[in-house]
Amino acid sequence: MPTKIVLSVLLIAVFAFLDASPLLSANAVVPNSSALAAANDEFEVFDRVNRERTKIGLRNLEWDDKAALVARTYSQRMAREGFFDHIDPDGNSVVERAERSRLRRWSMIGENLFECSSYDGYTRLAVSGWLRSPSHRQNMLDRRWTSTGIGIARGRDGSIFVTQVFLEN
């Protein structure tokens, strides 16, 4: 069953189980389709990275929600402010961003970034691009990493920003 259908069925099942319809109001926060698409794409990048790791005998990375929040927040900032760099305009790296977000219990942290104009196959393009770049490939295939989080955002012009945060716990 395709992921989008499973997610829709799951949301319907949760609302049916909770009989949540009376709880929805004009102020209810319901994920929009672009947020759901970005979440699906984040997990697609996660799966593609783990497949590459498995090909060379490395263990799969575990998903880390807090690392994903750091990654997503940074992708959103780059999209909103129109920059693309491992160091933000305030001079902060992934280390400072993780500390500011209260991401704890890691002994090593790393980051991969990807940006492209709107493109349907960008999840595949991001991972293949990282594999072709020696430093990004080394990051993605480092055996010391134990978990990761991925965040994706779109700029107003349709550009796509992908951030992957790696952790050794």
Side-chain angles (χ1 to χ4, degrees):
M1 185 179 286
T3 305
K4 291 178 184 177
I5 294 172
V6 171
L7 185 56
S8 298
V9 170
L10 179 62
L11 287 174
I12 291 168
V14 169
F15 282 120
F17 177 77
L18 296 176
D19 192 22
S21 55
L23 300 176
L24 294 178
S25 69
N27 296 327
V29 176
V30 178
N32 64 36
S33 61
S34 62
L36 289 174
N40 284 341
D41 290 348
E42 290 169 0
F43 283 104
E44 186 175 332
V45 171
F46 173 71
D47 184 55
R48 288 180 182 279
V49 167
N50 274 334
R51 278 188 270 163
E52 294 299 327
R53 292 175 60 84
T54 300
K55 283 180 189 177
I56 62 167
L58 296 174
R59 70 175 174 259
N60 283 339
L61 299 172
E62 294 181 24
W63 181 264
D64 187 296
D65 285 329
K66 291 180 180 180
L69 181 60
V70 171
R72 194 173 302 114
T73 300
Y74 194 55
S75 287
Q76 290 168 346
R77 182 173 181 195
M78 288 189 293
R80 183 178 59 252
E81 296 179 18
F83 71 94
F84 180 73
D85 201 315
H86 288 284
I87 305 299
D88 68 28
D90 301 320
N92 296 311
S93 72
V94 66
V95 172
E96 290 84 16
R97 292 191 298 275
E99 289 171 350
R100 190 174 47 242
S101 297
R102 297 191 175 127
L103 179 60
R104 304 279 189 249
R105 291 187 240 144
W106 53 268
S107 57
M108 189 169 81
I109 191 167
E111 173 181 75
N112 278 352
L113 301 178
F114 174 81
E115 189 266 338
C116 71
S117 55
S118 188
Y119 177 71
D120 286 339
Y122 77 88
T123 59
R124 180 180 43 78
L125 189 62
V127 174
S128 66
W130 289 334
L131 286 169
R132 286 192 306 272
S133 163
S135 61
H136 292 92
R137 179 184 182 86
Q138 181 180 356
N139 229 5
M140 187 168 64
L141 301 178
D142 191 316
R143 67 180 61 253
R144 294 172 293 179
W145 300 132
T146 55
S147 60
T148 191
I150 298 157
I152 297 174
R154 286 186 185 263
R156 288 187 195 120
D157 63 355
S159 57
I160 300 165
F161 295 82
V162 181
T163 303
Q164 181 169 22
V165 173
F166 299 93
L167 301 172
E168 178 184 37
N169 302 91

